[in-house]
Amino acid sequence: MPPGHDGGHVARLHVRGLRKAYAGRRVLDGLDLDVPAGQLAALLGANGCGKSTALRCVVGLETPDAGSIHVDGRDVAAGDNVRAGRREVAMVFQHSHLVGRRSALDNVCAGALGRLPLHRSLAPLLFPAQIRREAMACLDRVGLAHRAGDRVSRLSGGQRQRVAIARALCQRPRLLLADEPVSALDPAAAEHVLALLAGLAHEQDLAVLAVLHQPDLALRHADRVVGLLHGRVHLDAAATDLDAGDLDQLYTGARRPEVVA
Amino acid sequence: MTQTVVTQAPPPPARRPPGPRAVVVALLLIVLHLVALADTEFSVHTLVRGWHGIVDFFSQALPPDTSWSDVVEPGVRACVTTFYIGLLGTTLSIPFAVLAAVAGSRTTGLGTAAYQLARWVMSALRAVPEVVYALVFVTAVGLGPFPGVLALVVHNTGVMGKLWSEAMDEIDRGPVEALRISGAGRTQVVLHAVLPAVLPQCVGLLLYRLDVNVRASLVLGLVGAGGVGFLIDQSVNLFRFDQMVTYIALVLVMIVAVDLLSITVRRRVTNTS
């Protein structure tokens, strides 16, 4: 059976036995995680429990010490075509990481760079019309088509994060990762962004994995909550089966991380 | 009414006296300056004794020669040439400086070999002053403004490339990382994340270099590279200090104008960031 297939069910993201240590400190200690298409999964846990490291391993910003990562059954760690593999996985960050001096539309178009030849992407003016139309559709999906021509530096934090999500969509990803996407936003903007991520997962059959620091937001918006403790899955349940008390143990149970002998 | 705040907090830590290393460094700096003063024959006494030389100079230089057709008009024309030398010396070096800066920045990540090579080339170009390049180019293309332009292009590539690469090193790495992991290639990342982010700083540094290069092209005139520097050199050789003062006044006006222009444009560029 190919990796990710589990009794006929295909997981978009399939992680097994992921391990990563920094300077002797074990951050990921055999992480197993599946995220199916059409689901918003929230990844919760105390600081240093390995949430962000797991995401960084999936997008290739970190090299895991051991374990496997498959997206749609394909090994993303195998270095045969890293660029093609990266296109499948989009990521949204805590800070939108947009180019402030460029328009929202130009920033969203940049999400398509991975599938554009260099001569069609030398400058925003040279982007093919079809890419610009697609980028407009992505901006429309996040409710910002009317701000397409505005410089990103003129948008609010919540709007910037939505532009960043539109850029991720323009990448046509199979899997969308979000690393604390609402930590820098006010409560209203945070609700908006998480509702958007949940909507994308459900409507566009996207697998979305979001690292969150707000258990209440996770319970309200996510389909499923995965809690990490000391680099391993400690809790994994549908959001409707959990309450805030269940999640407390993720934070109170966090001791000093063990040191590799 | 004043109130004393009663607190259980520990007292602030005592200030540490300067360590032996700081004392040694301070002594070394003092000795270094004493040696430098002796080596450059620095002497207030000599300066005071020679004051009448300065008075002689000014008595010959003032009042300035302001005859229009002999001095002022050629002077203005030469100032414009000097400005053109500085302008072309700056703008024609832009493509070379961009290449050197992109290769010589850690942000762009074009590889260690390109980085080291670019750093080495920029240092080499910077190490030789414009005047030396001008002397070399005069032997190749003859006297006039053209060797001055060539000299500035070569030197400015080294300086502006270094300034720009440092500006690139300091930008927010977030957009670079975001595009990189979305599958964009290195050149695409440079074009769509690095260059747009660094553009205001680069324009500011470009204007600063224009300012510097216009002044440098003045000096280039002294070695035969045309412009108002050439006229100043001539008037000094003919002991026509009254003409020289007029030329210097014109230069002053030009430098102030370029400076004002550069400040205005820089302010506009940084405001729209």
Side-chain angles (χ1 to χ4, degrees), chain B residues 161-271:
Chain B
K162 178 181 158 57
L163 293 173
W164 282 358
S165 69
E166 283 169 357
M168 287 177 194
D169 285 341
E170 282 164 20
I171 62 164
D172 172 22
R173 300 292 285 263
V176 174
E177 195 172 77
L179 290 192
R180 193 91 198 95
I181 64 170
S182 77
R186 286 182 199 284
T187 314
Q188 289 174 322
V189 171
V190 170
L191 291 172
H192 293 277
V194 180
L195 291 184
V198 87
L199 194 68
Q201 289 96 305
C202 285
V203 172
L205 292 167
L206 179 82
L207 288 164
Y208 159 70
R209 286 307 299 170
L210 173 70
D211 198 16
V212 172
N213 284 337
V214 169
R215 275 179 280 139
S217 67
L218 189 76
V219 182
L220 298 185
L222 301 180
V223 296
V228 69
F230 189 62
L231 294 185
I232 292 177
D233 187 42
Q234 269 187 327
S235 58
V236 169
N237 289 340
L238 300 171
F239 297 103
R240 290 299 304 270
F241 297 127
D242 54 338
Q243 293 184 354
M244 189 201 73
V245 169
T246 308
Y247 295 138
I248 287 178
L250 290 173
V251 166
L252 201 68
V253 171
M254 175 182 66
I255 297 288
V256 169
V258 170
D259 197 33
L260 285 178
L261 174 88
S262 133
I263 288 173
T264 314
V265 177
R266 251 189 279 184
R267 193 173 295 153
R268 280 192 66 95
V269 169
T270 39
N271 272 358

Side-chain angles (χ1 to χ4, degrees), chain A residues 56 59 61 83 86-87 89 91 93 97-99 101-102 110 113-114 116-118 121-124 127 151 153 167 171, chain B residues 172-185 187-189 191-193 196-200 269 272-273:
Chain A
R56 293 175 70 82
V59 290
L61 285 173
R83 239 187 111 178
R86 281 177 165 173
R87 295 209 298 255
V89 184
M91 183 136 159
F93 302 83
H97 287 354
L98 300 165
V99 179
R101 291 176 53 79
R102 285 209 167 157
L113 285 174
L116 281 178
L118 185 58
S121 58
L122 286 173
F127 285 139
R151 275 190 180 190
S153 54
R167 177 176 66 185
Q171 195 182 326
Chain B
D172 172 22
R173 300 292 285 263
V176 174
E177 195 172 77
L179 290 192
R180 193 91 198 95
I181 64 170
S182 77
T187 314
Q188 289 174 322
V189 171
L191 291 172
H192 293 277
V198 87
L199 194 68
V269 169
T272 54
S273 60

Side-chain angles (χ1 to χ4, degrees), chain A residues 172-190:
Chain A
R172 296 188 195 155
R174 311 277 295 156
L175 168 69
L176 177 59
L177 304 175
D179 192 3
E180 298 186 34
V182 298
S183 293
L185 304 183
D186 66 48

